[in-house]
Amino acid sequence: MFSGFLKFADTCESCGLDISAEDAGDGPAVFIILIAGFIVVPLALALELALEPPLWLHTVMWLPLSVALCVALLRPFRGVMFTLQWHHSAREARLDEDAG
């Protein structure tokens, strides 16, 4: 399905289906930001309340974890979003010219 880390291939290597026009957009990134925040923020708050470390330690700990979580989840979520859009024949919204 992918031709690079995040770039979709033009055709399916299994069945030859042309998928060059399909795109997952920014939807996966939104879900990943929410999930990563749901994981990292409570951990950072718990550490702050328990040990009160300096700000630089928070930065050194949580920034790499946040980036690693986002990078690790981005490709699977793009694949799932792409598959769901294709399965449900989702397209961009259009105004109906005939109504009105």
Side-chain angles (χ1 to χ4, degrees), residues 22-99:
E22 302 293 332
D23 185 23
D26 293 332
V30 173
F31 289 115
I32 290 168
I33 290 168
L34 292 172
I35 291 168
F38 185 76
I39 293 169
V40 171
V41 169
L43 293 173
L45 285 173
L47 181 68
E48 177 63 31
L49 293 174
L51 303 175
E52 298 182 15
L55 186 58
W56 67 267
L57 187 58
H58 278 293
T59 305
V60 169
M61 289 178 59
W62 304 118
L63 186 61
L65 178 63
S66 299
V67 170
L69 273 172
C70 290
V71 169
L73 293 174
L74 191 53
R75 186 175 170 137
F77 270 73
R78 277 185 60 90
V80 167
M81 186 71 75
F82 173 84
T83 304
L84 287 172
Q85 287 177 346
W86 181 82
H87 177 74
H88 294 289
S89 300
R91 300 285 178 249
E92 286 187 29
R94 288 177 278 222
L95 295 175
D96 189 8
E97 300 279 333
D98 299 328

Side-chain angles (χ1 to χ4, degrees), residues 9-25:
D10 291 333
T11 58
C12 175
E13 61 185 47
S14 297
C15 65
L17 177 70
D18 180 20
I19 55 175
S20 59
E22 302 293 332
D23 185 23

